[in-house]
Coordinates of all heavy atoms in Angstrom, one line a residue:
M1 N -198.9 -15.1 -29.1 CA -198.8 -15.5 -30.5 C -198.2 -16.8 -30.6 O -197.2 -17.1 -30.0 CB -198.0 -14.5 -31.3 CG -197.8 -14.9 -32.8 SD -196.7 -13.7 -33.7 CE -197.8 -12.3 -33.8
K2 N -198.9 -17.7 -31.3 CA -198.3 -19.1 -31.5 C -197.1 -19.1 -32.4 O -197.0 -18.3 -33.3 CB -199.4 -20.0 -32.2 CG -198.9 -21.4 -32.3 CD -200.0 -22.3 -32.8 CE -199.4 -23.7 -33.0 NZ -200.4 -24.7 -33.1
K3 N -196.1 -19.9 -32.0 CA -194.9 -20.0 -32.7 C -194.7 -21.5 -33.2 O -194.9 -22.4 -32.4 CB -193.7 -19.6 -31.8 CG -193.0 -18.4 -32.3 CD -191.8 -18.1 -31.4 CE -191.2 -16.9 -32.0 NZ -190.0 -16.4 -31.4
V4 N -194.2 -21.7 -34.4 CA -193.9 -23.0 -34.9 C -192.4 -23.1 -34.8 O -191.6 -22.2 -35.2 CB -194.4 -23.2 -36.3 CG1 -193.9 -24.4 -36.9 CG2 -195.9 -23.1 -36.3
K5 N -191.9 -24.3 -34.4 CA -190.5 -24.5 -34.3 C -190.1 -25.4 -35.6 O -190.6 -26.5 -35.7 CB -190.1 -25.2 -33.1 CG -188.6 -25.5 -33.0 CD -188.2 -26.0 -31.6 CE -186.7 -26.2 -31.6 NZ -186.2 -26.8 -30.3
L6 N -189.2 -24.8 -36.3 CA -188.7 -25.5 -37.5 C -187.2 -25.8 -37.4 O -186.4 -24.9 -37.1 CB -188.9 -24.6 -38.8 CG -188.2 -25.0 -40.1 CD1 -188.8 -26.3 -40.6 CD2 -188.3 -23.9 -41.1
Q7 N -186.9 -27.1 -37.5 CA -185.5 -27.5 -37.5 C -185.2 -27.9 -39.0 O -185.8 -28.7 -39.6 CB -185.3 -28.7 -36.6 CG -185.5 -28.4 -35.1 CD -185.2 -29.7 -34.3 OE1 -185.8 -30.7 -34.6 NE2 -184.4 -29.5 -33.3
V8 N -184.1 -27.3 -39.5 CA -183.7 -27.6 -40.8 C -182.4 -28.4 -40.8 O -181.4 -28.0 -40.1 CB -183.4 -26.3 -41.6 CG1 -182.9 -26.5 -43.0 CG2 -184.7 -25.5 -41.7
C9 N -182.3 -29.5 -41.4 CA -181.2 -30.4 -41.4 C -180.0 -29.8 -42.2 O -180.2 -29.4 -43.4 CB -181.5 -31.8 -41.9 SG -180.1 -32.9 -41.7
N10 N -178.9 -29.8 -41.6 CA -177.7 -29.2 -42.2 C -176.6 -30.3 -42.5 O -175.5 -30.0 -42.7 CB -177.1 -28.2 -41.2 CG -176.6 -26.9 -41.9 OD1 -176.9 -26.7 -43.0 ND2 -175.9 -26.1 -41.2
G11 N -177.1 -31.6 -42.4 CA -176.2 -32.7 -42.5 C -175.7 -32.9 -43.9 O -176.3 -32.4 -44.9
T12 N -174.8 -33.8 -44.1 CA -174.2 -34.0 -45.4 C -175.2 -34.6 -46.4 O -175.3 -34.1 -47.5 CB -173.0 -35.0 -45.3 OG1 -172.0 -34.4 -44.3 CG2 -172.3 -35.2 -46.6
T13 N -175.9 -35.6 -46.0 CA -176.9 -36.3 -46.9 C -177.9 -35.2 -47.4 O -178.2 -35.2 -48.6 CB -177.6 -37.4 -46.2 OG1 -176.6 -38.4 -45.8 CG2 -178.6 -38.1 -47.1
C14 N -178.4 -34.5 -46.5 CA -179.4 -33.5 -46.8 C -178.8 -32.4 -47.7 O -179.5 -31.9 -48.6 CB -180.1 -32.9 -45.6 SG -181.2 -34.1 -44.8
F15 N -177.6 -32.0 -47.4 CA -177.0 -31.0 -48.2 C -176.8 -31.5 -49.7 O -177.1 -30.8 -50.6 CB -175.6 -30.6 -47.6 CG -174.9 -29.5 -48.3 CD1 -175.3 -28.2 -48.1 CD2 -174.0 -29.7 -49.3 CE1 -174.7 -27.1 -48.7 CE2 -173.4 -28.7 -50.0 CZ -173.7 -27.4 -49.7
V16 N -176.3 -32.7 -49.8 CA -176.1 -33.3 -51.1 C -177.4 -33.4 -51.9 O -177.5 -33.3 -53.1 CB -175.4 -34.6 -51.0 CG1 -175.3 -35.4 -52.4 CG2 -174.0 -34.4 -50.5
M17 N -178.5 -33.8 -51.2 CA -179.8 -34.0 -51.8 C -180.6 -32.8 -52.0 O -181.9 -32.9 -52.1 CB -180.5 -35.1 -51.0 CG -179.9 -36.4 -50.9 SD -179.8 -37.3 -52.5 CE -181.5 -37.8 -52.6
G18 N -180.1 -31.7 -51.9 CA -180.8 -30.4 -52.2 C -180.8 -29.4 -51.1 O -181.4 -28.4 -51.2
G19 N -180.1 -29.8 -50.0 CA -180.1 -28.9 -48.9 C -179.3 -27.6 -49.1 O -179.4 -26.7 -48.4
A20 N -178.6 -27.6 -50.3 CA -177.8 -26.4 -50.6 C -178.8 -25.2 -50.8 O -178.4 -24.1 -50.6 CB -177.0 -26.6 -51.8
D21 N -180.0 -25.5 -51.2 CA -181.0 -24.5 -51.4 C -181.7 -24.1 -50.1 O -182.6 -23.2 -50.1 CB -182.1 -25.0 -52.4 CG -181.5 -25.2 -53.8 OD1 -180.5 -24.6 -54.1 OD2 -182.0 -26.1 -54.5
M22 N -181.4 -24.8 -49.0 CA -182.1 -24.6 -47.8 C -182.0 -23.2 -47.2 O -182.9 -22.6 -46.6 CB -181.7 -25.6 -46.7 CG -182.1 -27.0 -47.1 SD -183.9 -27.2 -47.1 CE -184.1 -28.4 -45.8
Q23 N -180.8 -22.6 -47.4 CA -180.6 -21.2 -46.9 C -181.5 -20.2 -47.5 O -182.1 -19.4 -46.9 CB -179.1 -20.7 -47.0 CG -178.9 -19.4 -46.4 CD -179.2 -19.3 -44.9 OE1 -178.8 -20.2 -44.2 NE2 -180.0 -18.4 -44.5
N24 N -181.7 -20.4 -48.8 CA -182.7 -19.6 -49.6 C -184.1 -19.8 -49.0 O -184.8 -18.9 -48.8 CB -182.6 -19.9 -51.1 CG -183.4 -18.9 -51.9 OD1 -183.6 -17.8 -51.5 ND2 -184.0 -19.4 -53.0
M25 N -184.4 -21.1 -48.8 CA -185.7 -21.4 -48.2 C -185.9 -20.8 -46.8 O -187.0 -20.2 -46.5 CB -185.9 -22.9 -48.1 CG -187.2 -23.3 -47.5 SD -187.4 -25.1 -47.3 CE -186.5 -25.2 -45.7
V26 N -184.9 -20.9 -46.0 CA -185.0 -20.3 -44.6 C -185.2 -18.8 -44.7 O -186.0 -18.2 -44.0 CB -183.7 -20.7 -43.8 CG1 -183.6 -19.8 -42.6 CG2 -183.7 -22.1 -43.5
D27 N -184.4 -18.1 -45.6 CA -184.6 -16.7 -45.8 C -186.0 -16.3 -46.1 O -186.6 -15.4 -45.6 CB -183.6 -16.2 -46.8 CG -182.2 -16.3 -46.4 OD1 -181.9 -16.4 -45.2 OD2 -181.3 -16.2 -47.2
Q28 N -186.6 -17.1 -47.1 CA -188.0 -16.8 -47.5 C -189.0 -17.0 -46.4 O -189.9 -16.3 -46.2 CB -188.3 -17.7 -48.7 CG -187.6 -17.3 -50.0 CD -188.0 -18.2 -51.1 OE1 -189.1 -18.4 -51.4 NE2 -187.0 -18.8 -51.7
L29 N -188.8 -18.1 -45.6 CA -189.7 -18.4 -44.5 C -189.6 -17.4 -43.4 O -190.7 -17.0 -42.9 CB -189.3 -19.8 -44.0 CG -189.6 -21.0 -44.9 CD1 -189.0 -22.3 -44.3 CD2 -191.2 -21.2 -45.1
M30 N -188.4 -16.9 -43.2 CA -188.3 -15.8 -42.1 C -189.0 -14.6 -42.5 O -189.6 -13.9 -41.7 CB -186.8 -15.5 -41.9 CG -186.1 -16.6 -41.1 SD -184.3 -16.5 -40.9 CE -184.1 -14.8 -40.5
V31 N -189.0 -14.3 -43.8 CA -189.8 -13.1 -44.3 C -191.3 -13.3 -44.2 O -192.0 -12.5 -43.8 CB -189.4 -12.7 -45.7 CG1 -190.3 -11.7 -46.3 CG2 -187.9 -12.3 -45.8
K32 N -191.7 -14.5 -44.6 CA -193.1 -14.9 -44.7 C -193.8 -15.0 -43.3 O -194.9 -14.5 -43.1 CB -193.3 -16.2 -45.5 CG -194.8 -16.5 -45.7 CD -194.9 -17.7 -46.7 CE -196.3 -18.1 -46.9 NZ -197.1 -17.1 -47.6
F33 N -193.1 -15.6 -42.4 CA -193.7 -15.9 -41.1 C -193.2 -15.1 -39.9 O -193.7 -15.2 -38.8 CB -193.5 -17.4 -40.8 CG -194.3 -18.3 -41.7 CD1 -193.7 -19.0 -42.7 CD2 -195.7 -18.4 -41.6 CE1 -194.4 -19.8 -43.6 CE2 -196.4 -19.2 -42.5 CZ -195.7 -19.9 -43.5
K34 N -192.2 -14.3 -40.2 CA -191.6 -13.4 -39.2 C -191.6 -13.9 -37.7 O -190.9 -14.8 -37.4 CB -192.4 -12.1 -39.3 CG -192.1 -11.4 -40.6 CD -192.8 -10.0 -40.6 CE -192.5 -9.4 -41.9 NZ -193.7 -9.1 -42.7
D35 N -192.5 -13.4 -36.9 CA -192.5 -13.7 -35.5 C -193.2 -15.0 -35.1 O -193.2 -15.4 -34.0 CB -193.2 -12.6 -34.7 CG -192.5 -11.3 -34.8 OD1 -191.3 -11.3 -35.1 OD2 -193.1 -10.2 -34.7
C36 N -193.7 -15.7 -36.1 CA -194.4 -17.0 -35.8 C -193.5 -18.2 -36.0 O -194.0 -19.3 -35.9 CB -195.6 -17.1 -36.8 SG -196.8 -15.8 -36.7
L37 N -192.3 -17.9 -36.3 CA -191.4 -19.1 -36.6 C -190.1 -19.0 -35.9 O -189.4 -17.9 -35.9 CB -191.2 -19.0 -38.2 CG -190.5 -20.2 -38.8 CD1 -191.3 -21.5 -38.6 CD2 -190.2 -20.0 -40.3
E38 N -189.7 -20.1 -35.3 CA -188.4 -20.2 -34.7 C -187.6 -21.2 -35.5 O -188.1 -22.4 -35.7 CB -188.6 -20.7 -33.2 CG -187.3 -20.9 -32.5 CD -187.6 -21.5 -31.1 OE1 -188.7 -21.2 -30.5 OE2 -186.8 -22.3 -30.6
I39 N -186.5 -20.8 -36.0 CA -185.7 -21.7 -36.9 C -184.4 -22.1 -36.3 O -183.7 -21.3 -35.7 CB -185.5 -21.0 -38.3 CG1 -186.8 -20.7 -39.0 CG2 -184.6 -21.9 -39.2 CD1 -186.6 -19.9 -40.3
E40 N -184.1 -23.4 -36.4 CA -182.9 -23.9 -35.8 C -182.3 -24.8 -36.9 O -182.9 -25.7 -37.5 CB -183.2 -24.8 -34.6 CG -182.0 -25.4 -34.0 CD -182.3 -26.3 -32.8 OE1 -183.5 -26.6 -32.6 OE2 -181.4 -26.8 -32.1
R41 N -181.0 -24.7 -37.1 CA -180.3 -25.5 -38.0 C -179.6 -26.6 -37.2 O -179.0 -26.4 -36.2 CB -179.2 -24.8 -38.8 CG -179.8 -23.8 -39.8 CD -178.7 -23.2 -40.7 NE -179.2 -22.7 -41.9 CZ -179.5 -23.3 -43.0 NH1 -179.2 -24.6 -43.0 NH2 -180.0 -22.7 -44.0
V42 N -179.8 -27.9 -37.6 CA -179.3 -29.0 -36.9 C -178.4 -29.8 -37.7 O -178.5 -29.8 -39.0 CB -180.4 -29.9 -36.3 CG1 -181.3 -29.1 -35.3 CG2 -181.3 -30.4 -37.4
R43 N -177.5 -30.5 -37.1 CA -176.4 -31.3 -37.8 C -177.0 -32.4 -38.6 O -176.6 -32.7 -39.7 CB -175.4 -31.8 -36.8 CG -174.2 -32.3 -37.4 CD -173.2 -32.7 -36.3 NE -172.0 -33.1 -36.9 CZ -170.8 -32.8 -36.4 NH1 -170.7 -32.0 -35.4 NH2 -169.7 -33.2 -37.1
C44 N -177.9 -33.2 -38.0 CA -178.6 -34.3 -38.7 C -179.8 -34.7 -37.9 O -179.7 -34.8 -36.7 CB -177.6 -35.5 -38.8 SG -178.4 -37.0 -39.6
L45 N -180.9 -34.9 -38.6 CA -182.1 -35.3 -37.9 C -182.3 -36.8 -37.8 O -183.3 -37.3 -37.3 CB -183.3 -34.7 -38.7 CG -183.5 -33.2 -38.6 CD1 -184.5 -32.7 -39.6 CD2 -184.0 -32.8 -37.2
N46 N -181.2 -37.5 -38.2 CA -181.1 -39.0 -38.1 C -182.2 -39.7 -39.0 O -182.4 -40.9 -38.9 CB -181.3 -39.5 -36.7 CG -180.1 -39.0 -35.8 OD1 -179.0 -39.0 -36.3 ND2 -180.3 -38.6 -34.6
A47 N -182.8 -39.0 -39.9 CA -183.8 -39.6 -40.8 C -183.0 -40.3 -41.9 O -183.5 -41.2 -42.5 CB -184.7 -38.6 -41.3
C48 N -181.9 -39.8 -42.3 CA -181.1 -40.3 -43.4 C -180.5 -41.6 -43.2 O -180.1 -42.3 -44.1 CB -180.0 -39.3 -43.8 SG -178.8 -39.0 -42.5
S49 N -180.4 -42.1 -41.9 CA -179.7 -43.3 -41.6 C -180.6 -44.5 -42.0 O -180.0 -45.6 -42.1 CB -179.4 -43.4 -40.1 OG -180.6 -43.3 -39.4
L50 N -181.8 -44.4 -42.3 CA -182.6 -45.5 -42.8 C -182.6 -45.5 -44.3 O -182.9 -44.5 -44.9 CB -184.1 -45.3 -42.3 CG -184.2 -45.2 -40.8 CD1 -185.7 -44.8 -40.4 CD2 -183.9 -46.5 -40.1
S51 N -182.2 -46.6 -44.9 CA -182.0 -46.7 -46.3 C -183.1 -46.2 -47.2 O -183.0 -45.6 -48.2 CB -181.5 -48.1 -46.7 OG -182.6 -49.0 -46.4
D52 N -184.4 -46.6 -46.7 CA -185.5 -46.1 -47.5 C -185.7 -44.6 -47.5 O -186.4 -44.1 -48.4 CB -186.8 -46.8 -46.9 CG -186.9 -48.2 -47.3 OD1 -186.1 -48.7 -48.0 OD2 -187.8 -48.9 -46.7
N53 N -185.2 -44.0 -46.5 CA -185.4 -42.6 -46.3 C -184.4 -41.7 -47.1 O -184.6 -40.5 -47.2 CB -185.3 -42.2 -44.8 CG -186.6 -42.7 -44.1 OD1 -187.5 -43.2 -44.7 ND2 -186.5 -42.5 -42.8
F54 N -183.3 -42.3 -47.5 CA -182.2 -41.6 -48.1 C -182.7 -40.7 -49.3 O -182.3 -39.5 -49.3 CB -181.1 -42.5 -48.7 CG -179.9 -41.8 -49.2 CD1 -178.9 -41.4 -48.4 CD2 -179.9 -41.6 -50.6 CE1 -177.8 -40.8 -49.0 CE2 -178.8 -40.9 -51.1 CZ -177.7 -40.5 -50.3
A55 N -183.5 -41.2 -50.1 CA -184.0 -40.5 -51.3 C -185.0 -39.4 -51.0 O -185.3 -38.5 -51.8 CB -184.7 -41.4 -52.3
K56 N -185.4 -39.3 -49.7 CA -186.4 -38.3 -49.3 C -185.7 -37.0 -48.8 O -186.4 -36.1 -48.4 CB -187.4 -38.8 -48.4 CG -188.3 -39.9 -49.0 CD -189.3 -40.4 -48.0 CE -190.1 -41.6 -48.6 NZ -190.8 -42.4 -47.5
A57 N -184.4 -37.1 -48.7 CA -183.7 -35.9 -48.2 C -183.8 -34.8 -49.2 O -184.0 -35.0 -50.4 CB -182.2 -36.2 -47.9
P58 N -183.8 -33.5 -48.8 CA -183.4 -33.0 -47.5 C -184.6 -33.1 -46.5 O -185.8 -33.0 -46.9 CB -183.0 -31.6 -47.8 CG -183.8 -31.2 -49.0 CD -183.9 -32.4 -49.8
Y59 N -184.3 -33.1 -45.2 CA -185.3 -33.2 -44.2 C -185.4 -32.0 -43.4 O -184.5 -31.2 -43.2 CB -184.9 -34.4 -43.2 CG -185.3 -35.7 -43.8 CD1 -184.3 -36.5 -44.5 CD2 -186.6 -36.2 -43.7 CE1 -184.6 -37.7 -45.0 CE2 -186.9 -37.5 -44.2 CZ -185.9 -38.2 -44.9 OH -186.2 -39.4 -45.4
A60 N -186.6 -31.8 -42.8 CA -186.9 -30.8 -41.8 C -187.8 -31.4 -40.8 O -188.4 -32.4 -41.0 CB -187.5 -29.5 -42.5
N61 N -187.9 -30.7 -39.6 CA -188.7 -31.1 -38.6 C -189.5 -29.9 -38.1 O -189.0 -28.9 -37.8 CB -187.9 -31.7 -37.4 CG -188.7 -32.3 -36.3 OD1 -189.7 -31.7 -35.9 ND2 -188.3 -33.4 -35.8
I62 N -190.9 -30.1 -38.2 CA -191.8 -29.0 -37.8 C -192.6 -29.4 -36.6 O -193.5 -30.2 -36.7 CB -192.7 -28.6 -39.0 CG1 -191.9 -28.4 -40.3 CG2 -193.5 -27.4 -38.7 CD1 -192.7 -28.2 -41.5
D63 N -192.3 -28.8 -35.5 CA -193.0 -29.1 -34.3 C -193.1 -30.6 -34.0 O -194.1 -31.2 -33.7 CB -194.4 -28.5 -34.2 CG -194.4 -27.1 -33.9 OD1 -193.4 -26.5 -33.5 OD2 -195.5 -26.5 -34.0
G64 N -192.0 -31.3 -34.3 CA -191.9 -32.7 -34.1 C -192.3 -33.6 -35.2 O -192.3 -34.8 -35.2
Q65 N -192.8 -33.0 -36.3 CA -193.2 -33.7 -37.5 C -192.0 -33.8 -38.5 O -191.6 -32.7 -39.0 CB -194.4 -33.1 -38.1 CG -194.9 -33.8 -39.4 CD -196.1 -33.0 -40.0 OE1 -196.8 -32.2 -39.4 NE2 -196.4 -33.3 -41.2
L66 N -191.6 -35.0 -38.8 CA -190.5 -35.1 -39.7 C -191.0 -34.9 -41.2 O -192.0 -35.5 -41.5 CB -189.8 -36.5 -39.6 CG -188.6 -36.7 -40.4 CD1 -187.4 -35.8 -39.9 CD2 -188.1 -38.2 -40.3
V67 N -190.3 -34.1 -42.0 CA -190.8 -33.8 -43.3 C -189.6 -34.1 -44.3 O -188.6 -33.5 -44.2 CB -191.2 -32.3 -43.4 CG1 -191.7 -32.0 -44.9 CG2 -192.3 -32.0 -42.4
G68 N -189.9 -35.0 -45.2 CA -188.9 -35.3 -46.3 C -189.2 -34.4 -47.5 O -190.2 -33.8 -47.6
N69 N -188.2 -34.5 -48.4 CA -188.3 -33.6 -49.6 C -188.6 -32.2 -49.3 O -189.5 -31.6 -49.9 CB -189.3 -34.2 -50.6 CG -189.0 -35.6 -51.0 OD1 -187.8 -35.9 -51.4 ND2 -190.0 -36.5 -51.0
A70 N -188.0 -31.7 -48.3 CA -188.3 -30.4 -47.7 C -188.0 -29.3 -48.8 O -186.9 -29.2 -49.4 CB -187.5 -30.1 -46.5
N71 N -189.0 -28.5 -49.1 CA -188.8 -27.3 -49.9 C -189.8 -26.2 -49.5 O -190.6 -26.5 -48.5 CB -189.1 -27.7 -51.4 CG -190.5 -28.2 -51.6 OD1 -191.5 -27.7 -51.2 ND2 -190.6 -29.3 -52.4
F72 N -189.7 -25.1 -50.0 CA -190.5 -23.9 -49.6 C -192.0 -24.2 -49.6 O -192.7 -23.9 -48.6 CB -190.1 -22.7 -50.4 CG -190.9 -21.5 -50.0 CD1 -190.4 -20.8 -48.9 CD2 -191.9 -21.0 -50.7 CE1 -191.1 -19.6 -48.5 CE2 -192.6 -19.9 -50.3 CZ -192.2 -19.2 -49.2
Q73 N -192.5 -24.8 -50.6 CA -193.9 -25.0 -50.7 C -194.4 -26.0 -49.7 O -195.4 -25.8 -49.0 CB -194.3 -25.6 -52.1 CG -194.2 -24.5 -53.3 CD -192.7 -24.3 -53.7 OE1 -191.8 -25.1 -53.4 NE2 -192.5 -23.2 -54.4
T74 N -193.7 -27.1 -49.5 CA -194.1 -28.1 -48.5 C -194.1 -27.6 -47.1 O -195.0 -27.7 -46.3 CB -193.2 -29.3 -48.6 OG1 -193.1 -29.8 -50.0 CG2 -193.6 -30.5 -47.7
I75 N -193.0 -26.9 -46.8 CA -192.8 -26.4 -45.4 C -193.8 -25.3 -45.2 O -194.4 -25.3 -44.1 CB -191.3 -25.8 -45.3 CG1 -190.3 -27.0 -45.5 CG2 -191.2 -25.2 -43.9 CD1 -190.3 -28.0 -44.5
T76 N -194.0 -24.4 -46.1 CA -195.0 -23.4 -46.0 C -196.4 -23.9 -45.7 O -197.1 -23.5 -44.8 CB -195.1 -22.5 -47.2 OG1 -193.8 -21.8 -47.4 CG2 -196.1 -21.4 -47.1
K77 N -196.8 -24.9 -46.4 CA -198.1 -25.5 -46.2 C -198.3 -26.1 -44.8 O -199.3 -25.9 -44.2 CB -198.3 -26.6 -47.3 CG -199.7 -27.2 -47.3 CD -199.9 -28.2 -48.4 CE -201.3 -28.9 -48.3 NZ -201.3 -30.2 -48.6
I78 N -197.3 -26.8 -44.4 CA -197.4 -27.4 -43.0 C -197.4 -26.4 -41.9 O -198.1 -26.4 -41.0 CB -196.2 -28.4 -42.8 CG1 -196.4 -29.6 -43.8 CG2 -196.2 -28.9 -41.4 CD1 -195.2 -30.5 -43.9
I79 N -196.5 -25.3 -42.1 CA -196.5 -24.3 -41.1 C -197.9 -23.6 -41.0 O -198.4 -23.3 -39.9 CB -195.4 -23.2 -41.4 CG1 -194.0 -23.9 -41.2 CG2 -195.5 -22.0 -40.5 CD1 -192.9 -23.0 -41.6
E80 N -198.5 -23.3 -42.2 CA -199.8 -22.6 -42.2 C -200.8 -23.5 -41.5 O -201.7 -23.0 -40.8 CB -200.2 -22.3 -43.6 CG -199.4 -21.1 -44.2 CD -199.6 -20.9 -45.7 OE1 -200.2 -21.7 -46.4 OE2 -199.3 -19.8 -46.1
E81 N -200.8 -24.8 -41.8 CA -201.7 -25.7 -41.1 C -201.5 -25.7 -39.6 O -202.5 -25.6 -38.8 CB -201.5 -27.1 -41.6 CG -202.0 -27.4 -43.0 CD -201.6 -28.7 -43.6 OE1 -201.0 -29.5 -42.9 OE2 -201.9 -29.0 -44.8
K82 N -200.3 -25.7 -39.1 CA -200.1 -25.7 -37.7 C -200.5 -24.4 -37.1 O -201.0 -24.4 -35.9 CB -198.6 -26.0 -37.4 CG -198.2 -27.5 -37.7 CD -196.9 -27.9 -37.2 CE -196.6 -29.3 -37.6 NZ -197.4 -30.3 -36.8
L83 N -200.3 -23.3 -37.7 CA -200.6 -22.0 -37.2 C -202.2 -21.8 -37.2 O -202.7 -21.1 -36.3 CB -200.0 -20.9 -38.0 CG -198.5 -20.7 -37.8 CD1 -198.0 -19.6 -38.8 CD2 -198.1 -20.3 -36.4
S84 N -202.9 -22.5 -38.1 CA -204.3 -22.3 -38.1 C -205.0 -23.3 -37.2 O -206.2 -23.1 -37.0 CB -204.8 -22.5 -39.6 OG -204.6 -23.8 -40.0
N85 N -204.3 -24.3 -36.7 CA -204.9 -25.2 -35.8 C -204.9 -24.7 -34.3 O -204.5 -25.4 -33.4 CB -204.1 -26.6 -35.8 CG -204.5 -27.4 -37.1 OD1 -205.5 -27.1 -37.7 ND2 -203.6 -28.3 -37.4
D86 N -205.3 -23.5 -34.1 CA -205.4 -23.0 -32.8 C -206.7 -22.3 -32.5 O -207.3 -21.8 -33.3 CB -204.2 -22.0 -32.6 CG -203.4 -22.4 -31.4 OD1 -203.6 -23.4 -30.8 OD2 -202.5 -21.6 -31.1
Ligands
LIG101 S1 -178.2 -35.5 -42.9 FE1 -180.3 -34.8 -42.9 S2 -181.3 -36.3 -41.8 FE2 -179.3 -36.9 -41.7

């Protein structure tokens, strides 16, 4: 079974920019994708250090693809695309 690796940023910038809702998102994703998803919380994905990127926080990384404005809908769509590309 294919697995998608999701890294969710737990850093200060992402937390302030909406990351406080990330735990709820992670809980929903774990229910939706169960065995197809490996989730890791990381301290900072280093995307926030670029000034243009600040407003796009919170960030996540899905199989190496950096995703800004991370929310349940966006992350779900990308995970479904990656799982269907097999
Ligand atoms: S705090 Fe999230 S990318 Fe830096």
Side-chain angles (χ1 to χ4, degrees):
M1 176 182 291
K2 182 173 179 166
K3 248 186 176 179
V4 171
K5 183 175 181 180
L6 169 67
Q7 292 179 311
V8 177
C9 185
N10 224 12
T12 303
T13 301
C14 287
F15 185 82
V16 170
M17 295 294 286
D21 297 330
M22 295 295 245
Q23 183 58 50
N24 188 32
M25 179 186 81
V26 165
D27 291 345
Q28 291 179 52
L29 289 171
M30 284 171 47
V31 169
K32 183 170 180 66
F33 293 103
K34 295 184 179 121
D35 298 334
C36 300
L37 190 61
E38 178 185 327
I39 298 176
E40 177 186 11
R41 289 189 163 273
V42 296
R43 191 177 186 139
C44 177
L45 290 166
N46 293 322
C48 60
S49 59
L50 303 170
S51 60
D52 287 351
N53 287 355
F54 183 85
K56 295 178 185 165
Y59 282 94
N61 186 314
I62 307 171
D63 279 351
Q65 179 183 344
L66 188 64
V67 179
N69 299 314
N71 59 46
F72 181 76
Q73 289 77 18
T74 305
I75 299 292
T76 295
K77 184 176 177 220
I78 295 171
I79 291 172
E80 286 174 343
E81 286 170 3
K82 291 191 179 288
L83 289 174
S84 68
N85 285 342
D86 236 7

